[in-house]
Amino acid sequence: MAEFIPLALVLIENSKILNLTLSSDARADVERANKILRRMQAYLTACSSKQIGGSSQVFQNRAKEIQDVVYDIEDALSMFLVKIPHHYHSNLISISAHHAKHYPSEWKARRKLLRKLKQIESGERFSSPDLDSLIVQPPIPNTGFEEDNNNLVYHQVVEEDEIVGFETAITKLIQQLREEEYISQGPLMISIVGPGGSGKTTLVKNVYERRSVQAAFDFHAFVDVPRSFRLQTLLLTMLRNFEAQSMQEPVAEHHYHREETYLRKKSRQILEKKKYLVVLDNVWSEQDLRRIVNALPKGLSGSKIITTTQDSNIVASWHASSDDYIHDLSNGLSTQEANKLFCKKAFHGNWENCPEELEGLAQIIISDCGGLPLAISTVGTFLARQKPQTFVKWKKFHDSFSSNLQIVGQAWEPSYRDLPDHLKSCFLYFSMFPEDSSIKRERLIRLWVAEGFVKQGRGTLTTMEEVADGYLNQLIGRKLVDVSSREIDGQVRSCRVSNLVRKFIKSKAESFVTVLESNNTRVSTSSSNSGEKIRRLSAHYVSIKDLLRSGGELNQTRTLLVFGPSQQAQCDEVGKVLNTLKYLRVLDLKGIPLEDFPKSISGLILLKYVSMRKTKIKTVPSSINRLAHLETLDLKRTQVTKLPEEIYKLYNMRHLLVSRGCDGDDDGPAQGVEVSAGNIGALSELQKLSLIKVGNNRTILNALAELTGLRKLGLTDLKIEHGTELCCAIEKMGSLSTLELRSTNEEEYLELDHHMKSPPRSLERLSLKGRLRCLPQWVPMLHSVVKISLKWSKLDADANPLKPLQALPNMMELHLVCYYTGQVLEFKAETFMKLKILSIKQFDQLHTMKVESGAMPNLEKLTLSNCKSLNLPPLGMEGLRKLEELFLHDMPTILIAKLQRDGEDRQAVEHIPVIHSFNLSTGFQNLSQVIAKARG
């Protein structure tokens, strides 16, 4: 059945239109359009409740007609908005002057809108007795399960999923990884094969992520292999992993030398005489596998490559002589294993909790899942939420399985149907992204907000971004979206949907998304006939000029996302495409090799979201002020050095993200961007402002005090004389959660104690880069902070550098770089109670580090780097019983010798599974145990 999401979206959008500077007559016309849409929404809701799931063909046909009418209304409203002036006015006099000046143009636009609405109302598709009989009130939306506490429920650190049915395979796989026999042909290939949803990735990740497994190899990498990929990109990903593990600083030249030959050579230099493990997850063809394997060196004896694939023929040639190293999951779980997994999900692990009346039906449902762990887990999780668990509810669930859908798709159907409309929109949006792609949480949230999926949160203190974050957590909690990575506090950093779920989404996303792939074949469940109206277009690995040859009507497109174009993007080509998209609202050109800001963007006055992150643009035109609706401008990792003063006229701006840097990954060094003189305080809706260069523009600090709703602030090139204004501004930002401050250079002081008696209590992440006379007196009051980074502080030897930090109740991650000039660093007992990650770098005078009993009881990872005088391991280190990783970078050779397996201080680190060292003179050394004991 088609999904009629546009109804709700257009209603939301129309409500926003009513907030514009319109005359009363124009507002009445827009409200008329709203009433028409409410009638149609009421009709669809009523029919959907009568036809179970809207499965009636009559209903589907009628609904499709209504959807077309909705699009016509949306087009009429968009045309109306394009024709009227968009200016911001702060008082009644200017508003009256605006109406007088622009009345003629507004009157013409109103006439066209009114004419179009009457034409729609008198049309054949609109006239219907059953539609006319409906009241003109919007239906009560489906709210699904309770959402009030979704952040509390789902914003937790997720424990490792329990594994059922793989115990034997896990044991065998671990044993094979520990084998050390010499393999003359290269690394040993181990293959996991099975259909989608059989648990291949789950099995491999469970083994790969064990510390004892990783400690047995000098290098390791887990790589998702997309269906279409560039070998250079994949090798670069592996290379960065290897460099991080060898404690080498990432080599900047990788950003500019992406040729396959160079990356092969660099990888071989690192791995040639090392023992390594590489996991290639989801390989699609034998040719792809050979390309990757041939790019890797033989390595030392015991090196391994693990592949997962749905097609056993892909790996057959590697196992011609024996199938001992093939783990085939095609048969699924046994009946006993399937029952056990279903029991864990549906009855919290105890089959005795299953009501007697449900036992027979439970066995039928388990059998229908065909032994696929993914289907069993999904169905069990859904049924566990059905309270009370009755035979009627379970029978209704079982009977809802559609005979023309595969069982796994059927397993997702109840969870999907249970979603409220706004969550369905967010879920379907994942089909915009390429297969196997991991999506940054913040990017996804900004896109959702710009698309209009997000309803304003309850109360004035809840932002739409925070509401959207709750939406994502709900989708994750419902097991529809997977978490790719998390922050130290458990917050989602990136997410994705499995390929299986993505196929299910595509089956639901009719008329919602159109995807154009590299072979110019449209992948969409909607019809691909010429003349089709395209609302959201996602281009995957196609050149810009090919978009114009894609077929369909681009002039009605509201969203354009471009991923990885295959060749150089010329500004005039981009301009030609954008000239056809006059109603565009979302534009994401991240990473395309664009050197100039397309002038045609300034003509797209309905734009809410523009991202040109990681492009090569150098300037932003002053005509940017025409984008009155713009909410997000993402220019991070570009070559822009200064923003024009016209930026201050974008009064709806919520996210202004800018930085200068190479087109590498997001974690490398970046520089701030200047802003022209003006009143940045006028951008009262700003949520995030980063990375702004202050320098001599001191007036910007006073203006920042007006941005009381900021959640994230990043400033560079600060000077000592900026202290007073800076502190006064920050103190007024009561909702600030992330603060990054950098001085002009490592000798310039940051003055941060001026007039700041009460820092933002919501601050969770703090980064200070610059000299400090002492740590700001307000730091001990940061009870919500989870991560702190302090660089170039150079506190005096007589200071107590850890006292202001040691009692912070929620700090989990601490990075100290060139922070202290003293000789002794002492961690007192019962301090840093929640700290998990500690990094100490460039403490030149430090010769003794003490850890008292009870200090840092939860520390998991410790990095010591470039501390030239530290010749002893930290005293009391054996008390850090939860420490799993110790990284030593450019540390004295005396210290490294003492920590060798036969070293005099080896006993102090014997309990640590992973110990790696890198030194320019001795290179990389794996000091871990040969076979580390598994941690309980």
Side-chain angles (χ1 to χ4, degrees):
M1 169 189 166
E3 299 299 331
F4 305 102
I5 306 301
L7 280 169
L9 300 186
V10 177
L11 280 170
I12 293 173
E13 196 57 44
N14 291 355
S15 298
K16 296 178 181 178
I17 292 174
L18 291 172
N19 293 326
L20 297 177
T21 307
L22 300 177
S23 66
S24 58
D25 291 337
R27 288 173 179 268
D29 291 338
V30 174
E31 181 57 37
R32 178 172 183 166
N34 260 341
K35 290 181 179 179
I36 296 174
L37 290 168
R38 289 192 185 104
R39 295 175 66 188
M40 296 179 175
Q41 193 173 37
Y43 172 79
L44 289 177
T45 302
C47 289
S48 182
S49 63
K50 296 175 183 178
Q51 306 287 342
I52 306 295
S55 57
S56 164
Q57 187 62 48
V58 174
F59 169 69
Q60 290 190 46
N61 294 339
R62 182 62 176 141
K64 182 63 171 64
E65 292 176 356
I66 292 179
Q67 180 178 265
D68 291 340
V69 175
V70 170
Y71 280 152
D72 289 342
I73 296 174
E74 185 182 23
D75 293 343
L77 288 169
S78 296
M79 185 180 300
F80 171 73
L81 284 174
V82 167
K83 297 297 183 182
I84 64 174
H86 297 268
H87 299 133
Y88 175 80
H89 299 280
S90 58
N91 57 72
L92 292 176
I93 296 177
S94 60
I95 291 175
S96 299
H98 171 93
H99 289 324
K101 179 179 179 180
H102 299 291
Y103 181 79
S105 58
E106 185 183 286
W107 181 77
K108 291 180 181 179
R110 281 186 53 233
R111 286 194 63 188
K112 291 183 178 180
L113 174 61
L114 194 58
R115 188 183 308 121
K116 185 64 177 179
L117 292 178
K118 289 182 177 180
Q119 179 182 347
I120 291 172
E121 287 181 297
S122 62
E124 183 177 314
R125 293 177 302 179
F126 186 81
S127 301
S128 173
D130 52 3
L131 184 58
D132 291 336
S133 65
L134 288 173
I135 59 173
V136 190
Q137 295 295 327
I140 299 174
N142 171 29
T143 58
F145 291 97
E146 290 296 322
E147 303 172 16
D148 293 340
N149 297 315
N150 61 293
N151 280 316
L152 295 175
V153 173
Y154 297 119
H155 187 60
Q156 305 289 336
V157 178
V158 178
E159 300 292 336
E160 181 182 2
D161 286 341
E162 294 180 321
I163 301 296
V164 175
F166 295 142
E167 293 83 0
T168 302
I170 288 174
T171 301
K172 183 178 179 181
L173 182 55
I174 292 175
Q175 180 182 355
Q176 291 173 341
L177 290 175
R178 290 177 174 174
E179 293 176 358
E180 296 285 347
E181 73 271 12
Y182 178 71
I183 305 295
S184 60
Q185 294 83 5
L188 175 67
M189 177 76 74
I190 302 174
S191 301
I192 319 295
V193 299
S198 60
K200 301 183 296 296
T201 302
T202 302
L203 167 63
V204 175
K205 277 193 172 182
N206 178 271
V207 173
Y208 172 84
E209 292 178 352
R210 299 186 181 208
R211 302 287 184 184
S212 58
V213 169
Q214 295 184 2
F217 296 88
D218 296 324
F219 295 95
H220 53 83
F222 192 107
V223 182
D224 292 316
V225 183
R227 186 186 292 268
S228 298
F229 71 96
R230 297 177 62 198
L231 184 58
Q232 294 95 317
T233 302
L234 192 143
L235 289 175
L236 185 60
T237 300
M238 284 193 285
L239 184 57
R240 287 173 177 160
N241 276 301
F242 297 150
E243 285 178 334
Q245 294 162 30
S246 67
M247 302 304 297
Q248 297 183 42
E249 295 293 337
V251 181
E253 65 181 353
H254 294 343
H255 299 310
Y256 304 100
H257 296 281
R258 294 172 178 265
E259 294 81 9
E260 184 177 324
T261 302
Y262 167 81
L263 295 172
R264 282 172 177 258
K265 180 180 178 181
K266 190 64 181 177
S267 299
R268 289 178 180 275
Q269 288 176 350
I270 295 178
L271 300 180
E272 189 61 56
K273 296 183 180 180
K274 300 296 180 182
K275 178 182 172 184
Y276 67 86
L277 168 64
V278 171
V279 177
L280 303 174
D281 188 37
N282 207 21
V283 179
W284 290 95
S285 74
E286 183 177 0
Q287 180 182 5
D288 289 344
L289 181 57
R290 289 195 179 279
R291 289 173 60 206
I292 300 171
V293 172
N294 290 340
L296 298 173
K298 293 182 179 179
L300 289 182
S301 175
S303 294
K304 307 290 194 305
I305 296 176
I306 301 178
T307 63
T308 72
T309 180
Q310 297 186 29
D311 188 352
S312 60
N313 293 322
I314 292 175
V315 296
S317 60
W318 273 273
H319 305 285
S321 59
S322 172
D323 59 0
D324 289 345
Y325 295 96
I326 296 180
H327 299 258
D328 192 349
L329 307 183
S330 300
N331 293 328
L333 301 179
S334 66
T335 300
Q336 182 179 359
E337 293 166 343
N339 288 343
K340 185 177 181 181
L341 176 58
F342 182 81
C343 174
K344 285 191 174 185
K345 298 298 181 179
F347 306 117
H348 307 293
N350 190 352
W351 189 264
E352 294 178 357
N353 292 336
C354 176
E356 183 176 352
E357 62 174 340
L358 297 180
E359 289 182 359
L361 189 54
Q363 292 297 334
I364 295 175
I365 292 175
I366 294 171
S367 177
D368 286 344
C369 290
L372 291 178
L374 183 59
I376 297 169
S377 177
T378 303
V379 172
T381 299
F382 177 83
L383 291 176
R385 298 202 308 266
Q386 305 305 301
K387 303 296 183 182
Q389 293 181 323
T390 64
F391 180 85
V392 174
K393 285 188 175 182
W394 280 41
K395 184 66 165 59
K396 184 177 180 180
F397 165 82
H398 177 263
D399 292 344
S400 69
F401 281 155
S402 174
S403 60
N404 63 344
L405 289 176
Q406 295 181 351
I407 184 63
V408 177
Q410 296 167 358
W412 302 119
E413 181 67 37
S415 294
Y416 172 74
R417 190 183 303 162
D418 185 60
L419 292 175
D421 288 340
H422 57 277
L423 285 187
K424 285 182 180 178
S425 303
C426 297
F427 183 50
L428 294 180
Y429 204 73
F430 280 93
S431 61
M432 293 284 286
F433 298 91
E435 193 171 27
D436 296 317
S437 64
S438 186
I439 310 152
K440 290 291 183 67
R441 175 185 63 89
E442 293 183 338
R443 180 190 188 188
L444 183 64
I445 283 175
R446 289 192 290 267
L447 285 167
W448 283 352
V449 171
E451 290 281 4
F453 299 164
V454 182
K455 301 177 182 178
Q456 183 62 50
R458 300 175 184 174
T460 57
L461 297 180
T462 304
T463 67
M464 287 192 291
E465 289 78 9
E466 290 166 343
V467 175
D469 192 46
Y471 290 179
L472 178 59
N473 287 327
Q474 288 185 68
L475 292 174
I476 292 170
R478 293 169 184 262
K479 308 303 181 185
L480 294 172
V481 175
D482 298 327
V483 176
S484 302
S485 61
R486 291 183 181 272
E487 303 289 352
I488 187 66
D489 59 345
Q491 186 181 54
V492 177
R493 180 187 295 124
S494 60
C495 61
R496 56 167 294 180
V497 293
S498 68
N499 293 339
L500 202 63
V501 174
R502 188 173 182 272
K503 292 177 181 178
F504 174 81
I505 292 175
K506 286 166 59 179
S507 72
K508 295 293 182 181
E510 183 173 348
S511 299
F512 188 76
V513 169
T514 301
V515 176
L516 185 68
E517 294 187 322
S518 56
N519 57 1
N520 289 342
T521 299
R522 190 103 48 75
V523 182
S524 172
T525 53
S526 58
S527 65
S528 299
N529 298 327
S530 177
E532 171 197 351
K533 290 183 179 180
I534 297 175
R535 314 308 279 197
R536 294 182 183 84
L537 177 61
S538 183
H540 299 176
Y541 312 106
V542 301
S543 62
I544 295 296
K545 62 183 179 181
D546 286 337
L547 291 178
L548 293 172
R549 301 198 297 262
S550 61
E553 293 185 9
L554 292 180
N555 60 344
Q556 303 299 334
T557 301
R558 266 51 177 188
T559 298
L560 174 62
L561 272 58
V562 179
F563 297 91
S566 58
Q567 61 187 40
Q568 188 77 9
Q570 300 298 329
C571 190
D572 58 342
E573 293 175 353
V574 176
K576 289 179 181 178
V577 173
L578 296 180
N579 283 334
T580 66
L581 309 176
K582 56 184 177 180
Y583 302 141
L584 197 67
R585 299 186 181 184
V586 174
L587 176 63
D588 195 323
L589 302 177
K590 176 184 175 182
I592 73 170
L594 188 65
E595 297 185 354
D596 298 305
F597 194 102
K599 295 180 180 179
S600 51
I601 287 182
S602 300
L604 305 176
I605 64 174
L606 301 184
L607 274 173
K608 292 187 172 185
Y609 178 104
V610 174
S611 174
M612 283 185 277
R613 179 183 291 216
K614 293 187 179 180
T615 63
K616 300 177 181 179
I617 63 169
K618 302 175 181 64
T619 59
V620 177
S622 58
S623 56
I624 190 80
N625 67 336
R626 297 188 63 197
L627 305 182
H629 299 278
L630 195 61
E631 297 176 352
T632 293
L633 180 61
D634 188 347
L635 302 177
K636 293 185 72 172
R637 298 290 175 175
T638 64
Q639 297 178 25
V640 173
T641 59
K642 188 174 183 179
L643 295 177
E645 62 179 336
E646 285 77 12
I647 206 79
Y648 300 129
K649 296 182 180 180
L650 302 178
Y651 302 108
N652 289 304
M653 184 71 72
R654 302 179 68 84
H655 306 276
L656 183 54
L657 308 172
V658 292
S659 67
R660 287 189 295 136
C662 58
D663 58 353
D665 66 25
D666 292 333
D667 298 325
Q671 301 178 40
V673 174
E674 291 183 54
V675 292
S676 301
N679 182 22
I680 198 170
L683 306 183
S684 59
E685 299 296 321
L686 269 181
Q687 302 292 309
K688 293 187 178 182
L689 177 63
S690 181
L691 193 63
I692 302 300
K693 181 178 180 180
V694 177
N696 296 322
N697 187 7
R698 191 169 180 174
T699 57
I700 191 176
L701 298 175
N702 292 320
L704 285 176
E706 300 179 43
L707 302 179
T708 57
L710 271 184
R711 264 60 175 178
K712 178 179 180 178
L713 175 63
L715 301 175
T716 70
D717 287 67
L718 291 165
K719 301 179 180 180
I720 189 171
E721 58 264 27
H722 295 153
T724 301
E725 293 94 336
L726 178 61
C727 290
C728 289
I730 293 174
E731 191 172 24
K732 295 179 180 179
M733 300 173 185
S735 300
L736 196 67
S737 62
T738 300
L739 176 63
E740 179 180 3
L741 303 175
R742 304 183 192 176
S743 63
T744 55
N745 57 67
E746 62 178 289
E747 296 303 325
E748 181 75 38
Y749 279 89
L750 291 173
E751 285 291 347
L752 300 174
D753 271 330
H754 289 282
H755 307 291
M756 196 188 302
K757 297 179 180 179
S758 178
R761 298 301 176 90
S762 59
L763 199 64
E764 296 179 339
R765 287 163 176 80
L766 173 65
S767 176
L768 303 179
K769 190 174 181 181
R771 291 292 300 270
L772 295 172
R773 291 190 173 90
C774 63
L775 209 58
Q777 61 183 2
W778 44 265
V779 168
M781 292 185 275
L782 300 177
H783 292 170
S784 298
V785 75
V786 296
K787 180 178 179 179
I788 292 181
S789 177
L790 302 170
K791 187 173 183 180
W792 298 346
S793 305
K794 299 182 182 179
L795 296 184
D796 294 337
D798 58 352
N800 190 341
L802 299 180
K803 185 176 181 180
L805 302 170
Q806 62 189 19
L808 292 173
N810 291 299
M811 186 171 63
M812 299 181 180
E813 187 170 348
L814 177 61
H815 298 271
L816 304 175
V817 182
C818 200
Y819 171 68
Y820 176 56
T821 60
Q823 298 179 348
V824 179
L825 191 65
E826 191 169 1
F827 292 82
K828 298 290 187 179
E830 309 301 323
T831 61
F832 297 98
M833 300 303 290
K834 287 191 176 182
L835 194 65
K836 293 184 177 182
I837 296 176
L838 174 62
S839 176
I840 296 176
K841 300 181 180 181
Q842 297 176 29
F843 282 39
D844 292 343
Q845 308 302 319
L846 184 67
H847 65 65
T848 302
M849 182 174 167
K850 299 179 181 179
V851 181
E852 293 186 0
S853 177
M856 301 185 288
N858 292 296
L859 192 66
E860 298 176 357
K861 178 180 178 180
L862 173 62
T863 299
L864 300 175
S865 175
N866 203 16
C867 299
K868 301 176 181 178
S869 302
L870 190 62
N871 295 324
L872 295 171
L875 303 179
M877 194 172 187
E878 59 274 9
L880 302 176
R881 303 312 300 176
K882 291 189 177 181
L883 191 61
E884 297 183 341
E885 298 174 296
L886 173 61
F887 294 132
L888 306 168
H889 183 266
D890 278 340
M891 295 297 288
T893 54
I894 298 176
L895 173 63
I896 304 304
K898 291 180 178 180
L899 298 182
Q900 297 285 352
R901 296 187 182 101
D902 56 353
E904 60 181 278
D905 289 327
R906 179 67 185 188
Q907 187 63 34
V909 298
E910 198 71 33
H911 63 291
I912 306 174
V914 177
I915 307 174
H916 287 172
S917 170
F918 177 82
N919 189 287
L920 291 177
S921 59
T922 60
F924 170 76
Q925 296 184 65
N926 184 0
L927 306 181
S928 312
Q929 293 280 24
V930 176
I931 301 179
K933 296 180 180 180
R935 302 294 292 266

